[in-house]
Amino acid sequence: MTKLIIDGKEIEVPPEYTVLQACEAAGAEIPRFCFHERLSIAGNCRMCLVELVGSPKPVASCAWGVRDCRPGPKGEPPEIKTRSPMVRKAREGVMEFLLINHPLDCPICDQGGECDLQDQAMAYGVDQSRFRENKRAVEDKYIGALVKTVMTRCIHCTRCIRFAAEVAGVPELGAIGRGEDMEITTYLEEAMTSELQGNVVDLCPVGALTSKPYAFSARPWELNKSESIDVMDALGSAIRIDTRGREVMRILPRVNGDINEEWISDKTRHVVDGLRMQRLDQPYLRENGRLRAASWSEAFAAIAGKLARANPKRVGALVGDLAAVEEVFALKDLMTRLGVVNFDCRQDGPMLDPRWGRASYIFNATIAGIDIADALLIVGANPRKEAAVLNARIRKRWRAAKNFPIGVIGPKMSLTYSYDYLGAGPETLSSIARHSFADALRQAERPLVLVGAQSLARPDGAAIAAFAAKAAVDLGAIKEGWNGFSVLHSAASRVGALDLGFVPGEGGLNAREMAAFGTLDVVFLLGADEIDIAPGAFAVYIGTHGDRGAARADVVLPGAAYPEKSAIYVNTEGRVQMATRASFPPGDAREDWAILRALSDVLGKRLPYDSLAVLRAALYQSYPHFRRNGAIAPGDAADVRRLAERGGALDKAPFREGVGDFYFTNPIARASMVMAECSALAQGRPAMKAAQ
Amino acid sequence: MSVRRLAEKQPSAFAFTAENLAWAKAQIAKYPLGRQRSAVIPLLWRAQQQCGGWLPQKAIEAVADMLGMAKIRALEVATFYTMFNLEPVGRFHVQLCGTTPCMLRGSEELKKALRRLIGKENRVSADGAFLWTEVECLGACVNAPMVQINADYYEDLTPETLTRIINDLSAGRTPKPGPQIDRCNSAPIGGESTLLDPSLYLGERRHPGEPLTDAEGKKSGEAANVHEAPMPRPPIANAPDPTRN
C-alpha cells in the first residue's frame, strides 16, 4: 500500500493504482472524457488534470501511476490536490479547447440532457468564446445501421475505437488523419459487424455517436426508467427500460459485474421496435381456416370445448424461449390439474433433464468465474452468437491472461479470440482425454468446459451431455471449490423452466414427439415459436407476436412481452433475477399468468392464486430457491459426476451451428425492422432502410 | 494540411513485385513474432514507390492483409503521415518547402513560378508529369529555398533555376541535384569565410586574459548594440547569378 495525501486527507491505496483511482478512493470526483474503467488508458482528453505538489505542471491523473508520485522533500507522502486554483484553471483551459470546435447544437442533439460534455461544461466551461476563427466541420460517417454519427461533435476521446478493438474484438473503428483533421470512422465507411456495436453510443461522452433507431424520439428527462432483465439470450443481462407513456423508447444496460459488466448486445438494445410491431392485442379464433378477432370468453369457450372432449394423454404444453418463471409455473400447475403429463420447455430439443440434478444444466462456473478460469474448452457452442456479452467476457479473460488456452469442438467459427480447433463432432469429444489439448486443461487450475445447449438438441444429445461431463470430470474441471462444467443456454426461459421440472412426466411426450403428426389433440404453446407443430392438433398460442406460433394456432391469446410484466427469470448460471414492469401490454393483452388463471376458471380447475403476489408465494413454497433474487442456488458437483457416468452411444454427425441468424432468434426480434436491417447487413444483402 | 481521402479513381488490384515482396518479407522478419505490424510503414512506403509515388486503396489493403492487421489500422497510418500520398502525384512530385527559413529566403517566389510552370497546387499537370505540393520543413534550411522532386533535393533555388530544372525534367534531361549555386553541399557561399586564420590550428593560441569568475558575470558591452556591417540585402538578390554556372 502507498500513502498519499489527497486534498489534505491521508489515504492508503495499492501501488498499482492510478492517481485517478486514488482520488476516487479518497472521495474526490475527477472529470474525464477519454478514461473509462473497462478500456485501456488513452490520456488524450486532459480533463482529469490534478495538481501533484512539486510537479511544475498539472498531471493527467488517469495516466499517472501512484508509483510515479515523488514524495515530499522530507519524505512526506506525495500530495495531490484536486480542487486547487491551478487545477481549476487547467481544467477550464482544457474545456475551452474542447469547446472551440464543438458545435453549439445541444438543442438538436440527442445526447442533450445526458451528455458528459454538457455536464462538465456546467462545472468548468466559460460562458463565452474567445475563438474568432471558423469552427471545424467534419463529414458525418456511415458506420452501420445502429449508430448515427454527427462527427463535428466528436472530441476525439477514442473510447469507441478502444471499445471496438479491445472489448468487442472487432477492430473496425479507427482515427484517420491527424491533428485537427483527425476523424473517427470505419474502413471506408463500411458498417460495423460487431454484435456489441451499440455500446459505443453509451461510451461516447458527447453526441457524436448516438443511437440511429432512437434518433430524435425522446429526451432523457421525459423517460421513466425501469430496471429490468434482458431475455434476448440466456445471460439475463441487467437492463434499464426507458418508457414514455406506455411505449418503450429504448433499452440501456445497467452495470452488473456478475453478468454483463456494462455491455449489452445489439439485439438486447435495439429490439425495441419489435415490441411495437406485429403485436397481438386481442384474442383470435380460427374459423374456416382463418383467424378472426374474438373476445376472451369466446376464445376460452373454444378451448374449454376442445379440452372437454380430449383425453389428457393427448394434450400437451410447450414453453417458448421468452417465458418467465411465473407463467411456466402457472401453466404446469394447470396442466397437472388437468392430468396432463406431456409438457416440455425444450422446444428446440436439447436433451437436458432436470432429474439429473441442477448442476447438469446450469453454467456452474458462473459468468464471473470466466475471469478466474485458466483454460477453456468450448463444445458445440458459438458464444459470440448465443451470448455475445459472454463472448466479450471470454475475450477479456483471453486478453488479460498470458496463457489462456481455448479449444473448440464444433463448427469452425469466427470468435473474437484465437483458439485451437480440435474437431467437428462428438468423436473428438469422446476422445478428448487423448488429445494434445487435454494437457492444457489438465495443467489448468480451473478449467472450464463450456457446453452449448443447442448442440444437445439431437437424438444423441444425452450422450453428448454425458461425454462433456465426463471430459469435465476427467480433465479436472470438477474439484473442491470449482465446478467448470458449464452449459450455455440460449433461451432466457430455459433454466427457470427446467428448475420447475417442465419436462415430460411419467410416460409423457417430449417436444419433438408432441410436434409430430397425430400425437396430440390439443397443444398449448406458451410463446413457443421455434417449433413446427404438425397439422391436426388444436393449438392454443399464448404469446405476444403474430409470429410462427400464432400463424399455426387455432386460438391466439395475447400475452405480455417482457417489459410489460414483473417477472422472474433464471439465467444460464441459474441466477434468479426479477424484472420490474416498465410498460403495459397493448389492447386486450394480459399478463400470461393471469390468462392462465382466467382460463383455469373456465376449465373448472381454478388455480388458487388471484394475484401475482399469491402466485409467487405458492411458487416460493414449492421452489424456495426462486425467493433469493440475484442469487444462484449452486449445483451439486456430484450431479456432474453421475452425468459423466451415464455414457451412451454417440452419433458421428458433426455439431452444427446453433444460432442461424443472430438477429432473428425470437419473435420480438423477428418483428423488429432494425433487427431485419442488421441481419441484412450481416449477411451482405442490401439492407432495407429501417424506419428511423 | 487538410482532410485527406483516398483517391476517387483507383486501380483494381495491387500486388508487390517479386523483388519487393522478398524485401517486404525481410522487413517483416525483423520484428519479433506477434509484432509484424510494426513493419507497416516500410511496407506502405515500398508500396508507394512501386505505385509511382502514391498509395492506392488496394495497396493499403494488401499491406494490411500481409501483416494480419485490420484494414482501418493500415488506413490510419497511411492517412496520418503526409508523406504517404493518397492521390497520384505525376511522374515528378515537386515538394516545395514553405516553412519559415525557406519562406524568408524566397519560397513564395518559387511558389509563383510553380503555379506558372505546373498549375494549381495538388493537381497533376495536364501532361501527367508534374504535381507540386507545399510541405513543411524538409530539413535543408541552410540551403533554403529548396524543393524535393521525387527523391532528390534541389537547393538554393531562384525562380529561374527552378524553371530550368522543371524544363529539364519535362524535356527528359536529368538536372544535377543539390545546391544550384556555386557551393558544395552546405558549405558557405563563395568559399570558406570563417576560421581562416591558420594559427588556429597550431594549438598555440590562448584566451587573452583570465577567465571570468562567477561573481563578475558577463555583461554585454556597448558593441552589442552596434551593427558592424550594414544590414544585408534581401538574400535572393544577394545570391550569385545562377546563369553563371
Side-chain angles (χ1 to χ4, degrees):
Chain A
M1 298 294 267
T2 308
K3 244 187 215 164
L4 287 174
I5 301 174
I6 295 174
D7 292 336
K9 202 166 85 181
E10 205 171 280
I11 184 170
E12 280 197 38
V13 293
E16 68 273 11
Y17 263 33
T18 62
V19 171
L20 188 141
Q21 285 173 305
C23 290
E24 300 224 304
E29 197 180 328
I30 308 289
R32 84 284 303 267
F33 292 113
C34 70
F35 177 79
H36 191 276
E37 287 85 351
R38 296 184 210 278
L39 303 175
S40 63
I41 295 169
N44 54 10
C45 77
R46 316 310 287 181
M47 197 60 206
C48 62
L49 294 175
V50 296
E51 180 178 354
L52 180 56
V53 174
S55 160
K57 297 188 284 184
V59 299
S61 60
C62 72
W64 196 273
V66 163
R67 266 200 200 93
D68 303 328
C69 297
R70 266 194 311 185
K74 296 191 196 97
E76 312 95 324
E79 192 179 351
I80 289 156
K81 294 180 180 170
T82 68
R83 285 194 284 264
S84 65
M86 180 229 218
V87 171
R88 180 145 194 104
K89 190 174 171 219
R91 290 183 189 161
E92 279 174 0
V94 169
M95 179 58 77
E96 190 171 2
F97 274 115
L98 286 175
L99 292 178
I100 273 182
N101 273 321
H102 192 82
L104 259 178
D105 61 354
C106 302
I108 55 155
C109 175
D110 258 337
Q111 193 85 353
E114 51 185 1
C115 172
D116 288 358
L117 188 64
Q118 222 175 22
D119 295 347
Q120 291 176 37
M122 291 302 288
Y124 296 102
V126 280
D127 59 353
Q128 52 183 295
S129 175
R130 293 187 284 173
F131 189 66
R132 297 280 168 262
E133 290 77 11
N134 286 329
K135 284 195 176 211
R136 181 187 70 125
V138 184
E139 290 168 23
D140 293 344
K141 308 286 186 296
Y142 173 81
I143 61 173
L146 301 178
V147 183
K148 180 188 157 186
T149 64
V150 183
M151 297 320 283
T152 305
R153 297 178 188 146
C154 176
I155 59 167
H156 301 153
C157 69
T158 69
R159 275 187 189 177
C160 52
I161 300 178
R162 283 175 282 145
F163 174 83
E166 293 163 13
V167 178
V170 194
E172 294 169 318
L173 284 169
I176 59 165
R178 63 197 287 184
E180 195 193 31
D181 297 315
M182 180 170 144
E183 295 177 296
I184 307 286
T185 181
T186 53
Y187 185 70
L188 306 180
E189 304 196 25
E190 287 166 353
M192 287 193 281
T193 60
S194 169
E195 301 81 13
L196 297 169
Q197 56 178 280
N199 291 298
V200 299
V201 172
D202 291 342
L203 286 171
C204 185
V206 296
L209 306 179
T210 52
S211 171
K212 205 179 246 181
Y214 174 69
F216 305 130
S217 29
R219 284 299 195 181
W221 56 84
E222 307 176 296
L223 300 171
N224 284 320
K225 295 147 184 101
S226 316
E227 298 195 343
S228 186
I229 302 297
D230 173 50
V231 298
M232 293 296 124
D233 53 35
L235 291 187
S237 301
I239 53 170
R240 192 186 95 191
I241 299 179
D242 285 4
T243 48
R244 188 176 57 191
R246 55 188 286 168
E247 193 172 14
V248 176
M249 300 307 293
R250 63 172 176 179
I251 293 173
L252 296 176
R254 279 187 293 133
V255 177
N256 184 347
D258 287 334
I259 298 175
N260 58 322
E261 300 188 305
E262 59 192 82
W263 319 123
I264 52 173
S265 74
D266 293 342
K267 192 161 52 174
T268 302
R269 184 186 301 263
H270 288 294
V271 80
V272 173
D273 68 327
L275 290 166
R276 285 177 223 138
M277 314 239 188
Q278 299 278 357
R279 283 305 296 270
L280 301 171
D281 57 355
Q282 59 182 344
Y284 287 89
L285 201 54
R286 191 174 293 279
E287 271 182 3
N288 307 324
R290 293 181 66 88
L291 284 173
R292 69 154 176 93
S295 69
W296 279 105
S297 46
E298 275 180 288
F300 283 165
I303 299 167
K306 275 283 171 191
L307 273 180
R309 293 193 297 277
N311 177 351
K313 284 217 162 71
R314 291 180 61 79
V315 176
L318 282 165
V319 163
D321 291 349
L322 309 181
V325 168
E326 288 89 345
E327 55 234 37
V328 180
F329 177 74
L331 181 61
K332 190 183 177 201
D333 201 354
L334 177 60
M335 289 297 125
T336 314
R337 279 161 203 266
L338 291 169
V340 173
V341 284
N342 308 319
F343 27 73
D344 204 341
C345 61
R346 304 160 302 182
Q347 55 170 342
D348 52 344
M351 300 288 211
L352 284 166
D353 197 323
R355 282 173 284 251
W356 300 342
R358 199 166 196 243
S360 72
Y361 62 86
I362 64 172
F363 200 96
N364 290 296
T366 74
I367 296 168
I370 293 171
D371 292 348
I372 52 167
D374 43 12
L376 172 63
L377 175 65
I378 298 176
V379 181
N382 183 346
R384 188 172 173 187
K385 283 188 171 177
E386 286 165 37
V389 174
L390 180 111
N391 197 52
R393 193 88 171 214
I394 297 175
R395 177 175 160 81
K396 175 183 155 195
R397 176 68 189 136
W398 174 79
R399 266 169 55 84
K402 278 205 185 76
N403 178 29
F404 185 57
I406 301 174
V408 167
I409 301 175
K412 281 189 180 154
M413 54 206 163
S414 145
L415 298 172
T416 54
Y417 33 83
S418 59
Y419 58 83
D420 292 326
Y421 186 68
L422 309 182
E427 69 270 18
T428 314
L429 176 64
S430 57
S431 62
I432 182 76
R434 295 192 299 279
H435 199 282
S436 58
F437 185 80
D439 291 335
L441 291 166
R442 279 196 201 95
Q443 282 156 17
E445 213 168 298
R446 284 183 287 269
L448 203 160
V449 178
L450 189 157
V451 186
Q454 301 207 344
S455 67
L456 309 177
R458 42 193 265 171
D460 60 339
I464 293 171
F467 274 99
K470 185 165 184 299
V473 172
D474 289 353
L475 301 173
I478 315 286
K479 53 179 74 161
E480 190 64 39
W482 176 256
N483 185 344
F485 179 75
S486 303
V487 180
L488 178 62
H489 292 273
S490 46
S493 68
R494 192 63 47 80
V495 175
L498 287 171
D499 280 352
L500 291 171
F502 204 92
V503 290
E506 208 60 43
L509 304 172
N510 67 20
R512 195 169 45 82
E513 290 158 348
M514 279 190 257
F517 180 76
T519 52
L520 293 184
D521 289 336
V522 180
V523 59
F524 286 87
L525 304 172
L526 183 60
D529 285 274
E530 322 299 320
I531 188 164
D532 287 325
I533 306 291
F538 183 82
V540 179
Y541 179 77
I542 306 171
T544 56
H545 284 71
D547 202 68
R548 296 167 193 168
R552 165 66 186 81
D554 297 290
V555 176
V556 174
L557 304 176
Y562 68 102
E564 295 151 12
K565 57 191 173 197
S566 170
I568 293 171
Y569 296 97
V570 186
N571 79 351
T572 190
E573 303 170 283
R575 189 185 301 276
V576 177
Q577 300 188 101
M578 195 184 285
T580 52
R581 176 212 285 266
S583 146
F584 293 89
D588 279 347
R590 293 290 179 271
E591 288 179 45
D592 306 47
W593 76 266
I595 296 172
L596 292 164
R597 162 70 183 71
L599 177 63
S600 71
D601 218 359
V602 177
L603 300 178
K605 307 275 180 191
R606 174 191 290 227
L607 294 173
Y609 16 85
D610 293 340
S611 72
L612 192 56
V614 181
L615 187 156
R616 283 201 181 130
L619 173 71
Y620 296 155
Q621 184 105 48
S622 322
Y623 303 93
H625 74 277
F626 286 120
R627 191 193 298 270
R628 292 174 47 228
N629 190 12
I632 301 174
D636 183 0
D639 295 340
V640 183
R641 290 212 175 83
R642 270 196 299 278
L643 173 62
E645 282 155 19
R646 287 177 61 90
L650 290 173
D651 195 348
K652 280 231 176 335
F655 293 124
R656 48 185 185 78
E657 188 94 36
V659 175
D661 191 332
F662 170 75
Y663 297 102
F664 279 157
T665 51
N666 62 54
I668 307 180
R670 281 192 289 269
S672 160
M673 293 284 280
V674 176
M675 290 297 108
E677 192 179 351
C678 289
S679 164
L681 277 173
Q683 299 183 2
R685 281 187 273 117
M688 266 192 336
K689 200 99 184 91
Q692 283 200 358
Chain B
M1 226 173 27
S2 58
V3 173
R4 284 150 50 84
R5 294 273 187 267
L6 295 181
E8 291 207 349
K9 278 176 90 178
Q10 293 277 355
S12 57
F14 171 86
F16 273 120
T17 61
E19 183 197 348
N20 283 347
L21 191 65
W23 181 89
K25 286 195 173 137
Q27 294 298 308
I28 296 170
K30 281 183 183 174
Y31 299 96
L33 202 67
R35 303 276 180 224
Q36 279 69 25
R37 286 179 287 172
S38 302
V40 64
I41 292 180
L43 261 63
L44 284 175
W45 186 248
R46 195 71 165 200
Q48 168 159 314
Q49 286 175 330
Q50 185 183 315
C51 296
W54 71 291
L55 267 179
Q57 178 194 335
K58 293 286 175 199
I60 296 172
E61 287 170 8
V63 169
D65 287 347
M66 230 170 134
L67 300 174
M69 61 201 285
K71 286 182 275 186
I72 182 73
R73 292 282 106 83
L75 184 71
E76 282 177 331
V77 174
T79 52
F80 183 89
Y81 293 102
T82 52
M83 287 164 85
F84 290 123
N85 300 308
L86 303 179
E87 307 232 13
V89 290
R91 269 184 294 134
F92 301 105
H93 184 205
V94 182
Q95 301 182 62
L96 168 86
C97 173
T99 308
T100 318
C102 280
M103 194 190 78
L104 291 172
R105 298 273 300 171
S107 68
E108 294 295 322
E109 297 298 316
L110 300 185
K111 227 186 265 183
K112 275 184 209 155
L114 286 173
R115 274 198 204 105
R116 198 183 66 240
L117 292 163
I118 300 174
K120 277 193 178 165
E121 192 185 351
N122 286 324
R123 299 272 173 81
V124 182
S125 60
D127 56 354
F130 293 98
L131 174 141
W132 76 273
T133 320
E134 182 180 336
V135 297
E136 300 305 325
C137 185
L138 288 171
C141 310
V142 175
N143 299 66
M146 57 81 66
V147 299
Q148 179 185 355
I149 301 180
N150 291 350
D152 290 321
Y153 275 18
Y154 296 88
E155 300 156 323
D156 295 313
L157 295 173
T158 60
E160 292 75 31
T161 43
L162 181 60
T163 309
R164 201 198 64 233
I165 290 166
I166 299 289
N167 289 339
D168 279 0
L169 286 170
S170 57
R173 291 188 291 271
T174 316
K176 179 176 80 74
Q180 301 298 312
I181 57 171
D182 183 19
R183 90 202 281 193
C184 171
N185 300 339
S186 307
I189 296 169
E192 290 164 7
S193 60
T194 55
L195 304 176
L196 297 173
D197 184 350
S199 68
L200 280 173
Y201 305 101
L202 299 175
E204 291 164 359
R205 297 253 302 219
R206 293 273 183 278
H207 189 276
E210 292 298 309
L212 292 173
T213 64
D214 284 348
E216 283 172 309
K218 197 176 170 187
K219 292 193 186 70
S220 53
E222 196 191 342
N225 292 326
V226 178
H227 290 288
E228 281 181 43
M231 288 289 279
R233 282 181 290 155
I236 288 280
N238 204 19
D241 183 6
T243 49
R244 214 176 52 196
N245 51 340

